[in-house]
Amino acid sequence: MTDAVLLQTIMFYIFAAITVASGVMVISARNPVHSVLFLILAFFNSAGLFILLGAEFLAMILVIVYVGAVAVLFLFVVMMLDIDFARLRSGFMRYLPIGALIGAILLAELILIFGSWAIAPGIEGLKAAPMTATAAHGAMTNTRALGDLIYTRYVLAFQIAGLILLVAMIGAIVLTLRRRGGVRRQRIAAQLARSRAQSVAVVNVPVGGGAGEPVEPVAAGE
Amino acid sequence: MAEFWHGYLLPLLITIGEILCVVVPLLVAIAYYTYAERKVLAYSQLRKGPNVVGPLGLLQPIADAIKMLFKETIVPSSANRVLFIAAPIVSTALALVAWAVIPFDTGVVISNINVGILYLFAISSLGVYGIIIAGWASNSRYAFLGALRSAAQMVSYEVSIGFVLVTVLLCAGSLNLTDIVMAQRTVWFFIPLFPMFVVFFISGLAETNRAPFDLPEGESEIVAGFHVEYSAMTWLLFFMAEYGNMILVSAMTTILFLGGWLAPFNIEPFSGFLGHVWALLWLLGKILFVMFCILWVRATFPRFRYDQLMRLGWKVFLPLSLFWLVLTAGVLVATGWVPSH
């Protein structure tokens, strides 16, 4: 074993150990905020594992998307919500069978895949030479390789995934959007659409008579 | 032993030396940026600013630092101790590690990685954690409100920053920061991408929680926001993070839009060592200019209201940057200017 490989192996075990340990802490920490923070630690170390694999693009995207956006929202929600820990814990035994079942299924699937049980023989070829379509380009960065594959061979899957996300996003907005009465909002368009005639009135004031009744300007956006 | 020396120890020492070469001047710059801010604000308001400690008040940052070092760090009794101390450390560390990929000249960079711009984006998107953790760990209403504001604000503006970065990537054809600068040899990107340049600068202000977007601090309504419970070194670390981030955003603006270390019209009167000095001077000059603009904005504009801030981010910048991204891609494809490597 050469020195470089040894160093990589050591780094791998460090990252992997921290990932697994923080994964355990995510589900066992008493405070949900601590759980989310451990989740972030787990994401980070997974990014480290990706870098060891030479997949620097995936590592950065993992940090940007999961740590930088998703986990922020998690943290946001967990901090804002008033979570009743006692009630949360009381359901533990009730949900244990279902959780254990799901865990067992996932474990079985992982064993199926990594136990080299060829479920779909076509996949084996892909696994052996995933980059055949672009092998002619020779050495390329993995950002470029991913781009070449996603926008050529997998363009349909990519677009469909994007479309599903778009629909989900619009659905979430539609479900949560509500217009309440009695809320004063700034309406920029109405403000900008105001004309001089609507807002200023020139009054010829007689001496000693005062300006009289104020001329109501047409209020913006009413 | 010799193998160990050449294989590990020497590269390690060289890397540590490189890091010190970047971080030490950076820390000095952070210290004197606070001084510059006070001076610029003072002259904008017809005052003199700090002028007592040392000639022209130049020793003021050092006096401030000494004061902070000798004050007592107070941890509130109901605070979460570990996270309370960790938050400022995280903030400052993130502000410093981003400099690992900033190139100062062709090849003069600590780590010339392929995905440099993504690294910068990732690190800057992590900056929010220091603030959220601080706000939560302080166990104070004001700090918590500041943290929530900050989280919403930074996440919102990150989206448009992301689109701006993609637009620049399209024009440069690379995610490597050195390549991005070299792609600007023909024209600096702020000319063809001017709207994106403006969006990036303003989003950068919002991302660093600077005026006019400094709602997380909002003295008038939430005292000092997320760092209301902090004192002495911990407080100092937050401020180092803030000023470090401002310098970082200035450097990013320079590298992405203002041609980095390139002189205008590629004037290169010197070669060899003087050539590097020339390039460095241009880079520093541009960074200083952007840094001054940040202070200038603070001296000029009043703070945004919260709903205006959100509106600007989601309803103005996001559609604008999306549109400009599609337009840029369309123009590049239509004219055949797509950069190829």
Side-chain angles (χ1 to χ4, degrees):
Chain A
M1 191 182 280
T2 64
D3 285 358
V5 175
L6 179 69
L7 202 64
Q8 276 206 347
T9 317
I10 294 172
M11 294 306 286
F12 168 78
Y13 281 114
I14 291 175
F15 283 135
I18 297 177
T19 309
V20 173
S22 46
V24 170
M25 288 307 289
V26 171
I27 51 173
S28 62
R30 288 184 166 270
N31 190 329
V33 173
H34 292 177
S35 286
V36 178
L37 292 175
F38 277 114
L39 182 68
I40 292 163
L41 188 62
F43 283 145
F44 246 111
N45 285 281
S46 319
L49 289 176
F50 272 128
I51 288 185
L52 282 185
L53 276 176
E56 72 255 12
F57 183 78
L58 283 182
M60 293 301 155
I61 291 296
L62 184 74
V63 174
I64 291 171
V65 174
Y66 284 92
V67 184
V70 174
V72 172
L73 292 181
F74 276 4
L75 207 55
F76 208 100
V77 171
V78 166
M79 281 178 178
M80 299 266 285
L81 292 182
D82 187 21
I83 298 172
D84 186 356
F85 303 118
R87 233 187 68 200
L88 211 65
R89 231 174 288 286
S90 70
F92 182 75
M93 285 315 288
R94 224 178 88 207
Y95 293 118
L96 187 65
I98 280 195
L101 185 68
I102 293 176
I105 292 174
L106 285 178
L107 187 67
E109 284 177 346
L110 283 179
I111 290 173
L112 282 184
I113 291 170
F114 289 107
S116 73
W117 190 344
I119 303 162
I123 300 293
E124 285 303 304
L126 270 181
K127 257 165 70 180
M131 298 295 299
T132 43
T134 53
H137 296 181
M140 57 163 66
T141 64
N142 59 54
T143 313
R144 218 186 131 78
L146 270 176
D148 273 1
L149 278 182
I150 285 178
Y151 289 101
T152 53
R153 193 195 289 175
Y154 300 113
V155 66
L156 204 62
F158 180 67
Q159 293 290 341
I160 289 173
L163 213 63
I164 291 173
L165 283 177
L166 181 70
V167 170
M169 188 178 79
I170 294 174
I173 292 172
V174 169
L175 285 177
T176 53
L177 184 73
R178 52 179 180 147
R179 283 221 173 271
R180 275 184 302 172
V183 180
R184 288 171 178 274
R185 281 214 172 82
Q186 185 178 19
R187 280 192 253 163
I188 305 279
Q191 278 184 359
L192 294 178
R194 246 155 66 118
S195 67
R196 184 191 160 90
Q198 283 172 313
S199 28
V200 186
V202 180
V203 183
N204 212 349
V205 183
V207 178
E213 286 293 304
V215 182
E216 268 310 312
V218 184
E222 294 300 318
Chain B
M1 189 64 205
E3 194 183 336
F4 180 67
W5 169 254
H6 284 292
Y8 288 107
L9 219 49
L10 196 62
L12 183 70
L13 288 179
I14 289 174
T15 311
I16 290 174
E18 285 173 339
I19 292 171
L20 287 180
C21 281
V22 172
V23 168
V24 172
L26 183 65
L27 291 179
V28 175
I30 289 172
Y32 276 90
Y33 199 20
T34 63
Y35 171 80
E37 169 158 45
R38 293 169 72 176
K39 276 289 187 192
V40 169
L41 289 184
Y43 282 113
S44 309
Q45 298 161 357
L46 303 180
R47 295 184 285 117
K48 274 193 194 311
N51 63 350
V52 176
V53 190
L56 297 170
L58 273 172
L59 296 180
Q60 184 72 44
I62 297 168
D64 284 344
I66 293 173
K67 182 189 82 172
M68 288 299 169
L69 282 174
F70 283 100
K71 280 174 97 168
E72 182 191 356
T73 301
I74 298 167
V75 182
S77 56
S78 61
N80 186 322
R81 242 191 126 76
V82 177
L83 290 180
F84 187 82
I85 301 290
I89 299 174
V90 168
S91 289
T92 314
L94 286 174
L96 296 182
V97 291
W99 287 85
V101 296
I102 298 280
F104 296 94
D105 196 351
T106 321
V108 184
V109 51
I110 295 179
S111 174
N112 192 15
I113 59 175
N114 284 328
V115 287
I117 197 165
L118 284 180
Y119 175 83
L120 277 183
F121 191 51
I123 295 296
S124 68
S125 69
L126 295 181
V128 66
Y129 280 110
I131 294 175
I132 299 186
I133 294 174
W136 184 77
S138 300
N139 208 351
S140 145
R141 300 286 182 284
Y142 293 124
F144 191 57
L145 281 176
L148 289 185
R149 283 184 179 192
S150 168
Q153 173 178 335
M154 290 172 92
V155 170
S156 306
Y157 280 83
E158 234 164 61
V159 182
S160 43
I161 285 191
F163 281 119
V164 173
L165 293 184
V166 175
T167 317
V168 172
L169 297 186
L170 279 179
C171 296
S174 171
L175 280 82
N176 181 301
L177 290 170
T178 306
D179 289 348
I180 289 173
V181 172
M182 293 324 273
Q184 299 180 54
R185 286 192 83 85
T186 41
V187 59
W188 295 358
F189 283 155
F190 84 97
I191 296 170
L193 301 176
F194 189 74
M196 290 296 94
F197 172 60
V198 175
V199 168
F200 185 79
F201 179 70
I202 298 177
S203 302
L205 289 179
E207 186 83 359
T208 49
N209 297 322
R210 285 299 297 179
F213 305 110
D214 52 351
L215 288 122
E217 296 181 30
E219 297 90 348
S220 52
E221 65 260 34
I222 51 171
V223 196
F226 63 92
H227 57 65
V228 66
E229 301 289 351
Y230 282 85
S231 57
M233 262 324 273
T234 48
W235 186 87
L236 180 68
L237 284 176
F238 270 124
F239 264 71
M240 282 168 61
E242 177 167 340
Y243 284 84
N245 278 327
M246 283 153 69
I247 301 176
L248 180 70
V249 164
S250 309
M252 277 171 75
T253 312
T254 305
I255 287 169
L256 297 177
F257 289 102
L258 298 178
W261 56 83
L262 300 174
F265 310 109
N266 298 321
I267 305 166
E268 282 170 27
F270 308 108
S271 60
F273 180 70
L274 272 180
H276 285 297
V277 175
W278 172 255
L280 191 64
L281 283 180
W282 273 104
L283 182 73
L284 290 184
K286 290 174 196 172
I287 293 179
L288 286 176
F289 173 71
V290 181
M291 281 162 69
F292 169 73
C293 288
I294 293 178
L295 302 183
W296 190 12
V297 167
R298 172 163 183 195
T300 313
F301 290 105
R303 183 177 293 147
F304 266 54
R305 214 172 54 208
Y306 195 73
D307 62 317
Q308 291 172 331
L309 172 90
M310 283 296 147
R311 178 180 172 276
L312 183 71
W314 289 107
K315 292 190 179 171
V316 180
F317 282 176
L318 183 62
L320 178 66
S321 48
L322 247 176
F323 166 74
W324 203 267
L325 171 64
V326 176
L327 183 75
T328 310
V331 167
L332 286 178
V333 171
T335 52
W337 288 341
V338 183
S340 55
H341 284 278

